[in-house]
């Protein structure tokens, strides 16, 4: 912000160019100068277990009178798989935490097919059902891949809206890719 509390003329234009709000732009500017953003109160957090996550998503993604039952969920998953992976009763035991997925589906390929189907039914990426450690590793590997390509942000920006990436998330990804580019060993572009 300029002296006297007025907003410099370039800030609205810059925010528009990055597809973020002026507030988000100023937070990013402060962060680049080492000023931590104010803490934002957290909403309900995602449970850690598959049982908790599936129950949480069923409760948060559907109206109370539209929550699909175990039979409907497994009907859709099994139809997508082209065979029966689990019965409705087995899914109910999984969702309630009485059984674990590895006990019900011994093969890794069947677990992937099941989680893909569950993600489709619940309208989320199957990655939602992975542990935070697995997701973090995949994200870091993806960022390293984008940074190594030398096209990082341009590659990340392609098709972002179609993939459901908000302008704010795209701006955050751009900042991470730019930092990864600066941290990459070897000659740096001018």
């Amino acid at each position: 912000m300029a002296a006297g509390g007025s907003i410099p003329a370039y800030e609205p234009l810059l925010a528009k160019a990055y597809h973020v709000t002026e507030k988000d732009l100023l937070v990013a500017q402060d962060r680049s100068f080492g000023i931590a953003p104010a803490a934002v109160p957290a909403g309900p957090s995602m449970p850690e277990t598959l049982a908790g996550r599936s129950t949480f998503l069923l409760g948060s993604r559907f109206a109370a009178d539209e929550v699909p039952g175990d039979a409907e969920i497994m009907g859709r998953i099994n139809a997508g798989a082209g065979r029966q992976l689990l019965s409705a009763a087995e899914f109910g035991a999984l969702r309630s935490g009485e059984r674990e997925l590895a006990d019900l589906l011994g093969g890794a390929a069947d677990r992937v097919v099941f989680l893909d189907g569950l993600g489709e039914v619940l309208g989320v990426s199957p990655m939602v059902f992975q542990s935070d450690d697995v997701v973090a590793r995949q994200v870091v590997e993806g960022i390293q891949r984008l940074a190594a390509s030398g096209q990082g942000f341009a590659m990340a920006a392609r098709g972002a809206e179609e993939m459901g990436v908000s302008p704010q998330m795209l701006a955050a990804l751009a900042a991470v890719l730019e930092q990864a580019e600066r941290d990459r060993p070897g000659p740096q572009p001018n």
Side-chain angles (χ1 to χ4, degrees):
M1 207 175 256
S6 65
I7 297 175
Y10 68 86
E11 284 180 1
L13 298 172
L14 193 56
K16 184 177 181 182
Y18 280 109
H19 304 287
V20 298
T21 65
E22 290 176 42
K23 180 181 176 187
D24 289 339
L25 177 71
L26 294 174
V27 167
Q29 174 183 292
D30 286 349
R31 192 177 305 119
S32 70
F33 289 112
I35 302 168
V40 177
S45 62
M46 182 71 72
E48 293 296 316
T49 64
L50 177 59
R53 288 179 183 194
S54 58
T55 300
F56 174 83
L57 290 167
L58 282 166
S60 64
R61 306 218 23 114
F62 296 93
D65 60 340
E66 295 178 2
V67 175
D70 295 344
E72 180 182 348
I73 291 169
M74 284 315 306
R76 290 176 59 188
I77 293 172
N78 290 334
R83 66 189 191 296
Q84 182 165 331
L85 293 170
L86 296 176
S87 69
E90 289 170 320
F91 179 70
L94 177 66
R95 193 177 42 73
S96 69
E98 296 171 27
R99 300 284 306 270
E100 294 293 324
L101 185 59
D103 297 333
L104 293 169
L105 291 173
D110 282 346
R111 289 193 299 269
V112 168
V113 171
F114 171 79
L115 293 175
D116 285 349
L118 184 59
E120 187 174 318
V121 169
L122 298 178
V124 297
S125 165
M127 190 179 276
V128 167
F129 305 112
Q130 300 293 331
S131 72
D132 290 347
D133 290 342
V134 170
V135 172
R137 185 173 52 248
Q138 289 174 343
V139 169
V140 168
E141 289 171 359
I143 290 171
Q144 288 172 335
R145 161 65 177 84
L146 288 173
S149 74
Q151 300 178 23
F153 181 68
M155 184 180 288
R158 278 189 224 127
E161 286 186 25
E162 293 83 26
M163 293 177 8
V165 178
S166 71
Q168 293 82 2
M169 181 60 74
L170 193 56
L173 177 58
V176 169
L177 288 170
E178 288 168 8
Q179 183 64 46
E181 191 69 31
R182 286 192 296 272
D183 293 347
R184 187 173 59 172
Q188 299 297 312
N190 293 334

